[in-house]
Amino acid sequence: MHWSLIFFGFFAGWTLGAGHVHRKKIFIDTDLFSDVDDAGALLLALTHNRADILGININYPAMYSGLAASSLLGYYGHPDVPLGVKRPLSNDTYFDDYIFQNGEYVSKVAYHWRGNASLPWQDASGTWDPVELYRKVLSEQDDHSVTIASIGFLDNLSGLLSSSGDAYSKLSGKDLVTAKVRELVVMGGSYPSGREYNFFGYNATAVAHVVNTWPGAMIFSGGELGERVMSGARLTVEGPDEDPVRAAYQWYT
């Protein structure tokens, strides 16, 4: 889908008063693997002057997704942002067996921009377990201060809700979310049916768990908002030759 950029317009930041810019604390949960819109969303988030990126979790268990995210973090100047990848890690790469048209880009970004990455090539074992990373980062934040942006599957969030107290916090996952999270913004669903790939395409049970038990505010950016909006064309023509997301759009399309 091509609506991650519209989605990020909901929460990337805002201005409070004359000349005062409020930096919004955002934790991104992405399925950076198949569709290139996640790469576009990360470009926007990592270069937005009102976004304070606390962490990134990958919700598809692919080694190359973690490596690509590490390359993007380094290239856009955020090498210290912690990164988690769903386990168990695999060496899966994307193949378009739906319309047999779109190309794989994640492994290519990971390889060609590996010089920017904090992870060694073909080794994503140094990434965090996503639930552990959530618990660490949330425990360190002020109450009701974090926006979680879900732009993929909801497995990591389901795991967070089911988690128990640990070395980072004595609170259960649900209580930790209640204490620290201001809002969950979900790129998923479709009005009015609710049926959309992020909800049914990978783990609908995890989706149902999160949607039905999340203890705070949820905002849904449904597929109907951006299904006819294409993104990336101008970037591929006018973007810097060395930009990894520009290359990702070219490889994908």
Side-chain angles (χ1 to χ4, degrees):
M1 310 199 93
H2 297 275
W3 39 289
S4 285
L5 303 185
I6 292 176
F7 168 79
F8 262 84
F10 281 111
F11 64 87
W14 65 92
T15 302
L16 296 178
H20 178 73
V21 175
H22 179 89
R23 289 174 59 81
K24 196 163 190 176
K25 294 183 177 182
I26 301 173
F27 197 119
I28 300 171
D29 204 313
T30 170
D31 63 330
L32 181 73
F33 179 74
S34 52
D35 199 322
V36 76
D37 63 340
D38 290 79
L42 289 177
L43 163 61
L44 179 56
L46 295 174
T47 59
H48 202 298
N49 65 358
R50 299 176 188 173
D52 181 8
I53 306 302
L54 302 177
I56 295 175
N57 272 336
I58 308 295
N59 48 62
Y60 188 83
M63 170 186 70
Y64 290 112
S65 297
L67 296 173
S70 181
S71 293
L72 293 176
L73 284 168
Y75 181 83
Y76 294 117
H78 300 274
D80 296 327
V81 169
L83 175 64
V85 183
K86 187 177 184 293
R87 264 50 175 185
L89 293 172
S90 73
N91 63 351
D92 287 356
T93 56
Y94 171 66
F95 174 70
D96 176 14
D97 58 0
Y98 183 62
I99 58 174
F100 296 91
Q101 175 175 304
N102 298 316
E104 193 274 341
Y105 72 90
V106 172
S107 68
K108 298 178 179 67
V109 168
Y111 179 80
H112 290 285
W113 279 268
R114 65 192 185 280
N116 299 285
S118 59
L119 297 173
W121 171 238
Q122 288 192 314
D123 183 5
S125 61
T127 57
W128 287 78
D129 170 82
V131 174
E132 184 180 3
L133 181 56
Y134 266 135
R135 293 191 59 85
K136 178 181 186 298
V137 170
L138 290 178
S139 70
E140 297 167 347
Q141 307 309 312
D142 294 336
D143 287 352
H144 311 296
S145 65
V146 179
T147 292
I148 296 179
S150 173
I151 55 174
F153 309 125
L154 276 66
D155 295 54
N156 295 334
L157 292 169
S158 177
L160 170 61
L161 288 177
S162 298
S163 64
S164 303
D166 56 12
Y168 302 112
S169 173
K170 295 180 180 179
L171 297 176
S172 68
K174 194 170 183 179
D175 288 342
L176 188 60
V177 167
T178 300
K180 301 297 184 178
V181 177
R182 180 178 182 268
E183 60 189 350
L184 170 64
V185 188
V186 180
M187 189 184 80
S190 181
Y191 182 83
S193 71
R195 181 174 173 82
E196 181 272 329
Y197 189 77
N198 283 349
F199 277 19
F200 75 79
Y202 185 64
N203 186 349
T205 300
V207 173
H209 180 216
V210 173
V211 170
N212 290 318
T213 64
W214 190 262
M218 290 185 287
I219 300 171
F220 294 94
S221 172
E224 76 282 355
L225 298 180
E227 60 187 354
R228 290 184 173 85
V229 180
M230 298 294 106
S231 64
R234 184 176 179 184
L235 175 64
T236 64
V237 175
E238 299 180 15
D241 290 342
E242 70 276 8
D243 186 88
V245 175
R246 176 180 186 265
Y249 272 90
Q250 292 173 326
W251 279 317
Y252 182 74
T253 58

